[in-house]
Amino acid sequence: MNRRSGSGSGPFLMEMLVVVGFFILCASICVSVFAKADRLSRDADRLNHAVLGAQSVTEEIKAGRGEKELSRVWDKAWNSYTEQQAETAGIQAAYRADITVAREGSMTKIRVDIIDCGAGVSRGNDRGSCETVIYSLESSQYEPTLGQ
């Protein structure tokens, strides 16, 4: 008396569950890889803009413009404004430049820090919410005095 009870589809269903589970695992790994790649791309873009902004401010100071008139802020799209322009226009600063100029004898030492203000949290001269330094650039310039 050989009687089979059931249709024999149990092993097939188990195999399908394993295959579906494998595809779900692969899909979740792919999504996490793409999300990490997107974050790394955004961080690299932000660093690149910060480097260019710091270089630009440093070169303008070396060319003779004062650090007060070069106080820079950027919006989320990295459009550059002076702090006064941003405050007048009501533009929220997402990034800003901290500029330090020190004169030691005939050398001028320049430091520019590009700081993340939390993507539009800070406004104008409100420096309390700007914390994370994205990039720092230090530079020196020799300025001979007239008597030498």
Side-chain angles (χ1 to χ4, degrees):
M1 294 212 150
N2 279 339
R3 285 183 25 175
R4 292 182 68 175
S5 61
S7 63
S9 62
F12 175 74
L13 289 176
M14 288 301 287
E15 184 179 349
M16 287 303 291
L17 284 174
V18 169
V19 168
V20 167
F22 177 74
F23 282 123
I24 289 172
L25 178 68
C26 290
S28 66
I29 290 172
C30 286
V31 167
S32 67
V33 166
F34 285 128
K36 185 172 182 175
D38 182 57
R39 188 177 67 246
L40 289 173
S41 174
R42 290 175 194 256
D43 288 346
D45 185 53
R46 186 176 68 151
L47 179 62
N48 185 42
H49 282 293
V51 168
L52 292 174
Q55 288 175 340
S56 175
V57 169
T58 302
E59 291 301 322
E60 288 187 49
I61 290 173
K62 285 182 174 183
R65 294 187 63 190
E67 61 268 17
K68 295 292 183 193
E69 61 191 59
L70 284 175
S71 58
R72 291 274 184 239
V73 295
W74 292 268
D75 60 10
K76 289 172 72 172
W78 286 96
N79 296 315
S80 178
Y81 305 94
T82 64
E83 285 187 359
Q84 186 179 25
Q85 287 173 336
E87 190 173 324
T88 303
I91 296 168
Q92 292 183 339
Y95 309 97
R96 73 173 168 81
D98 261 357
I99 304 167
T100 307
V101 177
R103 289 177 176 73
E104 298 175 5
S106 57
M107 292 296 290
T108 301
K109 298 195 183 238
I110 305 164
R111 179 182 173 101
V112 178
D113 295 326
I114 305 297
I115 299 173
D116 186 353
C117 293
V121 174
S122 178
R123 189 174 197 183
N125 291 327
D126 177 19
R127 297 174 185 255
S129 59
C130 298
E131 298 173 357
T132 307
V133 175
I134 301 172
Y135 183 73
S136 293
L137 178 64
E138 293 184 11
S139 181
S140 297
Q141 181 178 18
Y142 177 72
E143 295 179 359
T145 57
L146 293 175
Q148 295 181 345

